[in-house]
Amino acid sequence: TFASNAVAQFGAIDASANGVIANSGSDISNALTALLDKAASHSQSVYLPAGDYLVSNISLPSGTALFGARGSTRLLHRVMDQSLQDKGL
């Protein structure tokens, strides 16, 4: 499959094997950020298998790349309600 080839050929880290789960309905920003930081420290890429990933605030660190299954991997931006954000929720 593309995923196993990408992980093997490019030395990419498979996000699903590292706690970043597609279609969970939960914000995966913390897990994805930690994985991206880990990958950057080793100059590796991160592969997101097909699915939807809910994120609220991520950035791509220097030294890494993020890629997924063409047409099947989506990052969905979660917009927080400002009143909840003001309360630290």
Side-chain angles (χ1 to χ4, degrees):
T1 67
F2 176 79
S4 57
N5 290 341
V7 171
Q9 183 176 358
F10 302 112
I13 298 172
D14 184 340
S16 65
N18 288 276
V20 178
I21 308 301
N23 306 315
S24 70
S26 298
D27 188 325
I28 54 95
S29 297
N30 290 339
L32 183 56
T33 296
L35 184 57
L36 289 170
D37 289 343
K38 175 184 172 184
S41 72
H42 295 96
S43 298
Q44 291 181 291
S45 298
V46 173
Y47 173 73
L48 287 173
D52 293 341
Y53 298 86
L54 185 62
V55 296
S56 56
N57 187 20
I58 60 168
S59 60
L60 190 61
S62 178
T64 192
L66 179 64
F67 65 101
R70 183 179 298 185
S72 300
T73 299
R74 298 186 317 162
L75 291 177
L76 305 175
H77 184 253
R78 177 176 175 240
V79 178
M80 293 181 66
D81 181 319
Q82 187 61 43
S83 63
L84 295 177
Q85 193 171 17
D86 291 341
K87 296 176 184 175
L89 302 176

